[in-house]
Amino acid sequence: MSFAYVNSASYHNLLLREKDQHIRWVTEPAKASKVLHDLEEEIRVLRMKMEQMYMEEPCFNNSSILAISRLLDEKINQYLELIKDESR
């Protein structure tokens, strides 16, 4: 029997056990992984919106672009804090 660690946004440092060609989780994914996944999606959508807005009106001091940029910063900071908290 062998073991492997998985480290991804959804399954931080979970232990896997392989037996008879089947992979089983020894522990369940952390509850916060849903929150991380949701934040990743929010960040992706906000980035796309900000890029689209810039393509339509290439101006870095556009108030709408700045508002999305600030929100994106907040979401990225939340994401990084959650990852830091999970790694403890």
Side-chain angles (χ1 to χ4, degrees):
M1 182 181 319
S2 63
F3 293 92
Y5 284 97
V6 173
N7 190 1
S8 72
S10 299
Y11 301 103
H12 289 284
N13 297 322
L14 293 178
L15 185 64
L16 290 179
R17 182 171 60 197
E18 300 174 27
K19 182 179 180 184
D20 301 328
Q21 305 295 331
H22 299 286
I23 297 176
R24 297 185 314 167
W25 295 106
V26 175
T27 59
E28 292 296 319
K31 290 180 182 177
S33 66
K34 169 83 169 104
V35 174
L36 285 173
H37 182 270
D38 291 346
L39 275 172
E40 287 173 352
E41 183 62 19
E42 280 186 81
I43 290 167
R44 188 187 65 77
V45 169
L46 286 170
R47 281 185 176 149
M48 287 175 44
K49 283 183 184 177
M50 188 172 70
E51 290 170 3
Q52 182 62 39
M53 289 177 74
Y54 181 78
M55 296 300 281
E56 292 171 3
E57 186 180 334
C59 178
F60 283 115
N61 60 1
N62 178 315
S63 61
S64 298
I65 293 174
L66 291 173
I68 288 180
S69 178
R70 282 191 286 275
L71 182 56
L72 184 57
D73 288 344
E74 289 175 23
K75 296 296 180 179
I76 291 170
N77 286 334
Q78 287 175 8
Y79 181 83
L80 293 174
E81 282 297 316
L82 280 173
I83 288 175
K84 186 173 78 173
D85 290 345
E86 280 193 3
S87 67
R88 290 181 190 173

